[in-house]
Amino acid sequence: MTDESPLYAVTPLDGRYAGRTSPLAAYASEAALMRARVQVEVEYLLALADLDTVPLELTDDETERLRAAYEAFEADDADLVKRIETEGARGYDATNHDVKAVEYFVREAAPERAHSWIHFGLTSEDVNNLAHRLLAKPAVTDVLVPELRARRDELVEFAHDYADLPMLARTHGQPATPTTFGKEMAVYAARLGRAIARVEDAAESLSGKLAGASGTWAAHHAAFPDVDWRTFSEEFVQSLELEYVEPTTQVNPCDDLAALFDALRGANNVCRDLSLDVWLYVSQRYLGQDAAKTETGSSTMPHKVNPIDFENSEGNLSKANADLEFLSEYLTTSRLQRDLSDSTVKRNIGGALAYCLLAYTKLGDGLGKVVPNEAVMREDLRANPEIIGEAVQTILRREGHDDAYERVKALTRGERVSLEDFHELFASMDLPEDVRDELLALTPESYTGLGADIARDA
């Protein structure tokens, strides 16, 4: 056993759940942030070289080598950047500054005549705000959104497969107008679909700034007053497939990240609501779970098959949302033109996304194990015949009985009734035979309205 074992990880994200969160390593690790910073520095240098005013020309081979610095960025490169920062390397003293270490790393791939132009006129935030978004955007669109879409697809499949399966609904926890299991899954599929669209819109709207130490391009303008630095910066940021934000202080105000975090919280709320409802359906025996013979459901009760995946998902969704709410509120504030408190906080973005990913995969595990128990659902419907009372009083209203609600209320409210009790009510009333037959045909199992159609449209 060594301290490199996941068993020694400080957080469960890199320990117990490392296998589930590993897809985010390419976007949430420190090495990933280094690579993104190198990308920004290199592309900025190349953009400067394209300016007629800047006396720097780069050959195709030099350009290719520079881009390889981030396109082929590997563990050894990350180690070198870290050593330059913390202990010094390649002739550089320790910088004790992560962005400065990246600047020196880029020098290793650049011709000497280009060294003075690396990080020219920039503040660290010009690099960092772009780098963080170059990571957050694909982390969401390439890792989280596909998992959310997979959950939505599973819900759509449930909706279609069980469109006609009648199920007792409960409002305020009490027996209510029946629905179908498929229709209830269709509701969640639709909600999640809309939430995914909001997440994607927010990810595509991430924005970047490049305007110097206090957002005025002061150093750039002092060196080259004839260059249109505002247009240059806008085109550069957009070349990174980010929207452009102006004006700013030294920092990007992070309203765009807050919108993304809020959108993710919305999607998480839908998933958490689903986890809670499915947990309740399991407890009501409306849903059964596939039981793996080798698993232990309870350390003391051998019969149990616990809905642990939904509980795990619920807990991690709650943790993710707590972190996302904190990030959303914290990152949109900065004292005066800049304070550094956001720097350490932004390093936790990956953790929040990892809790999302963990929750989505656990939810998928749970959905893959549950099977509707039709017999239990139908039995519960038959045990609550009073739920047709809504249909009865509505049909009687249609026929002009202005006391319909009161008569059905007197029969059913707080009482256990049977279909025969309803039939006796119908027999006592002056009704056309076709209306009486219509009422007699009502059953809890058939009173599902357009639920099946709604489910099939999912």
Side-chain angles (χ1 to χ4, degrees), residues 68-128:
Y70 69 84
E71 292 175 343
F73 193 84
E74 297 177 338
D76 288 345
D77 298 311
D79 180 67
L80 174 57
V81 173
K82 194 65 177 178
R83 285 191 292 116
I84 293 173
E85 177 191 351
T86 60
E87 62 189 62
R90 299 290 176 87
Y92 301 109
D93 293 333
T95 64
N96 197 30
H97 193 289
D98 47 10
V99 175
K100 197 66 176 179
V102 167
E103 177 186 342
Y104 290 160
F105 173 81
V106 174
R107 287 188 182 185
E108 296 295 299
E112 187 173 353
R113 67 181 186 283
H115 288 187
S116 65
W117 298 102
I118 301 170
H119 202 72
F120 179 81
L122 298 183
T123 183
S124 295
E125 177 61 11
D126 288 325
V127 176
N128 282 334

Side-chain angles (χ1 to χ4, degrees), residues 200-218:
E200 290 181 314
D201 286 346
E204 290 301 321
S205 299
L206 289 180
S207 59
K209 64 84 62 173
L210 190 145
S214 57
T216 64
W217 290 273

Side-chain angles (χ1 to χ4, degrees), residues 359-386:
Y360 303 159
T361 59
K362 283 292 188 178
L363 178 58
D365 289 348
L367 291 176
K369 295 177 184 177
V370 294
V371 180
N373 192 331
E374 181 174 352
V376 171
M377 290 186 187
R378 291 187 182 276
E379 179 184 348
D380 212 8
L381 284 166
R382 294 166 188 156
N384 291 276
E386 66 274 11

Side-chain angles (χ1 to χ4, degrees), residues 42 64 106 108 138 182 209 226 241 265 284 348 358 450:
V42 165
E64 184 177 346
V106 174
E108 296 295 299
K209 64 84 62 173
D226 295 331
E241 298 184 354
R265 285 175 56 217
Q284 295 166 345
N348 293 281
L358 176 57
L450 302 176

Side-chain angles (χ1 to χ4, degrees), residues 391-402 404 407-408 425-426 429 431 435 439:
V392 170
Q393 65 97 8
T394 303
I395 292 173
L396 292 176
R397 282 171 178 255
R398 183 195 69 196
E399 297 301 313
H401 292 264
D402 56 11
R407 295 193 67 167
V408 174
L425 173 64
F426 305 154
M429 300 182 71
L431 296 169
V435 174
L439 291 168

Side-chain angles (χ1 to χ4, degrees), residues 146-156 189 192 271 274 357 359-365 367:
E147 283 293 334
L148 285 172
R149 287 199 174 280
R151 301 297 83 79
R152 182 188 179 279
D153 291 345
E154 290 157 2
L155 293 170
V156 169
L192 193 53
C271 291
L274 172 64
L357 178 60
Y360 303 159
T361 59
K362 283 292 188 178
L363 178 58
D365 289 348
L367 291 176

